[in-house]
Amino acid sequence: MKQERAVGNIVGLAILALVICIAATIKAHSSGVTERPGWVVTETDYSFDQLNSRLEKAIADAGMGLVTQASASRGAESRGIAIPGNRVVGVYRNDFAVRMLEASLAAGIEAPVRFYVTEDGDGGATLSYKTPTMVFSPYFDEGGSALKQLATELDGIFMDIAGNATGE
């Protein structure tokens, strides 16, 4: 009898721990990506897959290249683990790379500049990115006006890509 009660207590504690973990995951996911200095964050009603498709089209339409991508959710899915969708997409173009490196070799570590697509708890998805000006600002002393001009050009391109992807 005592052994059955002990097993029941262990099962009860395991269920409680599972509920707490699920609640924490939902809470963390529901808070999503929030505005912060130098970031642009746009929530949409598009699904995660729709927003990714729209982003890819907007990148191509802007004449930019999708040069890197990574997705923890796709990797987790391949291991049988379900987590909310997320994808980091690196966007750049070689003429910008050449100009950036002429202005500041150290700034090269920041390229490509990235977009971040996250799945929201309500079925929608959010598109976020750090503005190129924010990304390259630590190198402005070294890169001078040439790097500042490049960052400003990229700010406009990234704003257009984001607007086209999100319908804003």
Side-chain angles (χ1 to χ4, degrees):
M1 189 73 163
K2 286 184 180 179
Q3 190 175 17
E4 288 174 10
R5 212 176 331 191
V7 169
N9 287 341
I10 291 171
V11 170
L13 287 173
I15 291 171
L16 178 61
L18 179 60
V19 169
I20 290 170
C21 287
I22 290 170
T25 301
I26 291 170
K27 171 69 175 150
H29 180 61
S30 67
S31 63
V33 177
T34 58
E35 289 280 343
R36 55 198 75 210
W39 283 57
V40 176
V41 178
T42 307
E43 295 179 6
T44 75
D45 291 330
Y46 295 113
S47 72
F48 177 73
D49 290 334
Q50 288 173 322
L51 185 55
N52 274 296
S53 293
R54 291 179 63 87
L55 177 60
E56 288 176 15
K57 182 178 182 331
I59 292 166
D61 289 351
M64 297 294 283
L66 191 161
V67 296
T68 61
Q69 59 183 317
S71 173
S73 56
R74 296 286 190 245
E77 181 181 343
S78 73
R79 297 176 37 234
I81 300 168
I83 62 172
N86 71 73
R87 181 178 182 218
V88 177
V89 176
V91 175
Y92 221 53
R93 202 171 66 206
N94 185 259
D95 59 311
F96 285 109
V98 170
R99 289 172 51 204
M100 173 197 62
L101 294 171
E102 287 174 348
S104 168
L105 186 61
I109 196 157
E110 304 297 346
V113 180
R114 297 172 307 276
F115 284 99
Y116 188 33
V117 181
T118 51
E119 186 175 24
D120 301 333
D122 63 1
T126 298
L127 181 66
S128 308
Y129 67 97
K130 294 179 183 178
T131 64
T133 294
M134 189 254 196
V135 170
F136 291 119
S137 64
Y139 311 94
F140 284 167
D141 285 345
E142 177 181 328
S145 63
L147 188 59
K148 289 177 186 174
Q149 180 180 348
L150 178 135
T152 300
E153 286 177 51
L154 286 170
D155 282 347
I157 292 169
F158 271 64
M159 183 173 57
D160 289 345
I161 291 171
N164 289 331
T166 63
E168 294 279 315

